[in-house]
Every structure is written in C-alpha cells, then in structure tokens.
Amino acid sequence: MVVPAPHLEFLRCRQRERAMVKLSELSDELHALKSELSHLMSAPADGMFDAAKSRSDALVEQIKDTLHELGDTLSAEEEHVEKLIAERPIAALASAFALGVAIGFMLRRH
C-alpha cells in the first residue's frame, strides 16, 4: 500500500511533536531534580547530622533494651537447662556429643 506524500508528512510531523513533548517533559523533570538537589545541598549539614544522631541513639536504646530482655530470658532458661542436665546426665552428654559430631560434619563440608 502506497501512502500519499501529504499523509507521510503529517505522520512525520506528529512523530516530531511527540518527541518534542517527551523532551519537554524530560527537561521539566531535570529542572525539578536540579532544584531539589540544590535545596538539599544548601540545607545545613548540622541539621542532618543531628537528625541522624538522634535516630541512631534511639536505635541503640532499642537494641540495649532487647539485649537486656534476652539476657533475662536466658538466665531463666539456664536454670531450667541445668535442672534437666542434673536429672539426666547421660542423655545430656549423648546429646552434646551428637550435636558436636553433626557440627563437625557440617564444618568439614564447607
């Protein structure tokens, strides 16, 4: 099928218009990015440092609390495990030996 020359010119013109619109949108996005970047670069570094420090301090406190709770839980369970070992020393020894052998095989493979 042969397309008439005026129709071809119309199609080419439409393609150029679409390309120009896309370039315009891209240019607008680049300008917005440039503006945002310049705003971030002009922000005082002390403010960002203080915000990061406060967040890290809050995280440290949360980790300390979690570790304290874990320590309390392990202390309570330690007494229970000691009681079980005292009641069944041979079973505990056999379990520890089997666990050691299994870990040894796993370490040897890697």
Side-chain angles (χ1 to χ4, degrees), residues 43-97:
D46 293 338
M48 285 193 275
F49 177 76
D50 291 340
K53 183 165 177 22
S54 67
R55 287 184 194 147
S56 65
D57 289 344
L59 183 62
V60 165
E61 287 300 317
Q62 186 179 8
I63 290 172
K64 282 181 182 178
D65 292 342
T66 303
L67 288 176
H68 183 69
E69 290 175 15
L70 179 63
D72 292 345
T73 304
L74 289 177
S75 295
E77 292 300 317
E78 181 181 9
E79 295 171 7
H80 180 69
V81 170
E82 286 177 359
K83 183 180 174 186
L84 286 175
I85 291 173
E87 291 174 356
R88 300 182 184 100
I90 295 175
L93 183 63
S95 297
F97 178 75

Side-chain angles (χ1 to χ4, degrees), residues 18-66:
R18 288 182 188 149
M20 293 298 283
V21 168
K22 287 182 181 181
L23 284 176
S24 175
E25 290 172 1
L26 183 60
S27 178
D28 292 343
E29 287 184 36
L30 285 174
H31 285 295
L33 181 61
K34 182 181 174 185
S35 172
E36 188 175 334
L37 185 60
S38 67
H39 175 69
L40 287 175
M41 295 301 287
S42 67
D46 293 338
M48 285 193 275
F49 177 76
D50 291 340
K53 183 165 177 22
S54 67
R55 287 184 194 147
S56 65
D57 289 344
L59 183 62
V60 165
E61 287 300 317
Q62 186 179 8
I63 290 172
K64 282 181 182 178
D65 292 342
T66 303

